[in-house]
């Protein structure tokens, strides 16, 4: 297939581009390089442009006749979204509409969308199914929910069919350490724990130790980036076979506490880095674990990297390389 990958120079997008290239697909990457990197692209042709630039989008989609679009390009920092909501609504929602609009106009009828567990807000029942009410508690989650809604409405009125994947906590890196998380301002637990182990940070804070969980810290469903990429491939195959629009959770269905992640990070790195208990972080649900039976049942998703040690080891190998190369 000929596939457009927006945000393909970023963390998850670059893993997608790698796999599509390896499988022989023709890939065009659309990225403004605001957080992505040209040298994270192992395949494909890069168009450096912003999704706000409707004219560039229009010409590209008119000329290239893509079979499918995979849309990663978005901002992802929850706290920042609270401070600057318009930045999130503009890029994650309004710019997504530009892309969807161009797809409809130029006949791209297969669309894969990167959504998030943040659309659920603070769900009461665990694990979370796709039927759980969407009650996002921050502009980031709301911007993704609104794009999902727009996709739903457009797919009912036009020929576009989509798969929206609601990611849980994505981590890990390419096992051959060619690519990985490069964002300097990363806020995610595993990346920060590893950067503390490397000595790039003084100490790791544990945000909240008084939650009603087994050890008082928050529980999350960590999924290896390559199992997530497999879910995208299955979504593409499903749409190519004529499947209708569908939404799927992407997580393993089991959770680890912050303390468990810290302990595993110390084991994998062999470094007893400093850790300090801290106050709760605003907006953190105590537990967030996916019910992934829908994607397993309907797409036949069989994740093969459901192993916290493997997730952290691949991320660690990448972090060491990133540091060596001064990336
Ligand atoms: N945490 C720490 N210390 C840190 C960083 C994180 O204790 O330095 C804790 C957080 O408080 C949370 C857990 O580790 O309990 C995981 O936090 P992350 O920041 O790694 O990930 P989130 O669970 O906040 O984020 C994920 C997705 C978002 C999504 C959000 C919905 O990455 O896209 O879930 O809650 F919005």
């Amino acid at each position: 297939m000929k596939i457009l990958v927006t945000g393909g120079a970023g963390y998850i997008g670059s893993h997608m581009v790698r796999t599509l290239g390896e499988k022989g697909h023709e890939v065009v990457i659309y990225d403004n390089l605001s957080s992505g990197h040209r040298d994270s692209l192992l395949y494909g042709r890069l168009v450096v442009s912003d999704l706000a630039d409707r004219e560039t989008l229009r010409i590209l989609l008119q000329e290239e006749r893509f079979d499918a679009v995979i849309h990663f390009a978005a901002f992802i920092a929850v706290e920042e979204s609270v401070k600057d909501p318009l930045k999130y609504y503009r890029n994650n929602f309004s710019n997504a509409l530009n892309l969807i609009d161009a797809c409809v106009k130029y006949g791209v009828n297969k669309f894969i969308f990167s959504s998030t567990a943040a659309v659920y807000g603070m769900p009461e029942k665990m694990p979370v199914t796709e039927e759980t009410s969407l009650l996002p508690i921050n502009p980031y989650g709301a911007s993704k929910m609104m794009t999902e809604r727009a996709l739903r409405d457009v797919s009912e009125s036009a020929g576009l069919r989509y798969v929206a994947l609601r990611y849980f906590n994505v981590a890990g890196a390419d096992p051959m350490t060619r690519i990985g998380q490069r964002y300097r301002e990363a806020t995610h637990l595993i990346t920060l724990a590893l950067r503390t182990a490397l000595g790039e940070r003084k100490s790791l804070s544990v945000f909240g130790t008084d939650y009603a969980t087994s050890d008082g810290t928050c529980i999350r469903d960590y999924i290896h980036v390559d199992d997530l990429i497999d879910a995208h491939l299955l979504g593409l195959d499903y749409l190519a076979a004529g499947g209708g629009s569908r939404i799927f959770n992407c997580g393993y269905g089991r959770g680890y506490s912050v303390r468990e992640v810290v302990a595993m990070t110390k084991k994998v790195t062999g470094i007893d880095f400093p850790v300090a208990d801290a106050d709760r972080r605003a907006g953190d649900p105590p537990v967030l674990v996916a019910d992934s039976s829908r994607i397993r049942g309907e797409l036949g998703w069989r994740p093969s990297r459901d192993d916290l040690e493997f997730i952290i080891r691949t991320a660690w190998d990448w972090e060491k390389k990133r540091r060596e190369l001064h990336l």
Side-chain angles (χ1 to χ4, degrees), residues 50-315:
D50 197 281
L51 288 170
D53 181 352
R54 299 175 66 171
E55 189 56 12
T56 302
L57 258 185
R58 189 188 65 73
I59 294 168
L60 185 70
L61 270 78
Q62 188 174 25
E63 284 179 354
E64 301 276 352
R65 301 279 153 196
F66 294 106
D67 297 300
V69 166
I70 309 181
H71 177 40
F72 291 98
F75 298 134
I76 60 155
V78 170
E79 255 186 329
E80 182 190 46
S81 82
V82 176
K83 292 191 183 116
D84 192 354
L86 288 177
K87 175 173 174 180
Y88 279 70
Y89 290 121
R90 219 170 262 132
N91 191 39
N92 294 6
F93 179 56
S94 174
N95 287 347
L97 295 186
N98 293 344
L99 178 65
I100 296 166
D101 186 33
C103 287
V104 170
K105 282 204 180 96
Y106 299 107
V108 183
N109 63 2
K110 295 181 276 300
F111 194 101
I112 310 272
F113 176 55
S114 301
S115 191
T116 169
V119 297
Y120 297 117
M122 298 247 187
E124 272 166 23
K125 263 184 67 190
M126 281 303 139
V128 190
T129 72
E130 292 84 351
E131 303 303 328
T132 303
S133 304
L134 304 189
L135 297 165
I137 54 166
N138 51 60
Y140 168 65
S143 68
K144 290 283 182 175
M145 179 188 74
M146 289 159 68
T147 306
E148 277 195 13
R149 178 61 199 250
L151 279 168
R152 191 181 95 186
D153 294 342
V154 170
S155 99
E156 276 167 21
S157 75
L160 181 123
R161 289 170 293 118
Y162 69 93
V163 163
L165 299 174
R166 293 182 180 153
Y167 305 170
F168 281 64
N169 287 61
V170 187
D174 174 48
M176 291 168 70
T177 59
R178 293 167 294 183
I179 46 178
Q181 176 62 269
R182 282 181 61 174
Y183 194 42
R184 297 305 307 156
E185 315 301 319
T187 57
H188 289 136
L189 176 64
I190 291 177
T191 302
L192 293 190
L194 292 170
R195 290 181 185 175
T196 312
L198 278 175
E200 291 183 351
R201 301 173 66 91
K202 283 206 177 69
S203 162
L204 179 79
S205 300
V206 175
F207 296 139
T209 55
D210 58 351
Y211 287 101
T213 59
S214 47
D215 64 15
T217 66
C218 288
I219 293 178
R220 293 290 182 275
D221 188 338
Y222 296 91
I223 168 178
H224 192 280
V225 61
D226 281 345
D227 277 329
L228 184 70
I229 296 308
D230 288 347
H232 290 70
L233 290 178
L234 291 168
L236 268 182
D237 289 347
Y238 164 83
L239 291 175
S245 298
R246 211 75 181 111
I247 294 170
F248 299 104
N249 283 340
C250 288
Y252 292 137
R254 79 157 180 223
Y256 291 96
S257 73
V258 174
R259 290 220 195 281
E260 286 171 325
V261 171
V262 169
M264 184 60 85
T265 306
K266 289 188 173 181
K267 180 182 163 195
V268 166
T269 61
I271 298 169
D272 188 15
F273 55 86
V275 176
D277 290 354
D279 289 343
R280 290 181 176 199
R281 191 173 69 175
D284 270 342
V287 183
L288 202 53
V289 174
D291 179 329
S292 56
S293 44
R294 184 188 279 181
I295 189 167
R296 290 172 195 263
E298 294 185 19
L299 298 189
W301 185 59
R302 296 286 174 270
S304 59
R305 305 158 187 93
D306 177 0
D307 173 352
L308 185 64
E309 183 165 353
F310 178 77
I311 293 174
I312 295 177
R313 186 175 305 286
T314 57

Side-chain angles (χ1 to χ4, degrees), residues 12-34:
I12 304 175
S14 61
H15 287 80
M16 185 82 246
V17 169
R18 174 211 58 196
T19 297
L20 291 172
E22 283 170 357
K23 293 199 172 292
H25 294 288
E26 188 181 344
V27 188
V28 175
I29 298 98
Y30 194 97
D31 200 303
N32 64 6
L33 301 181
S34 62

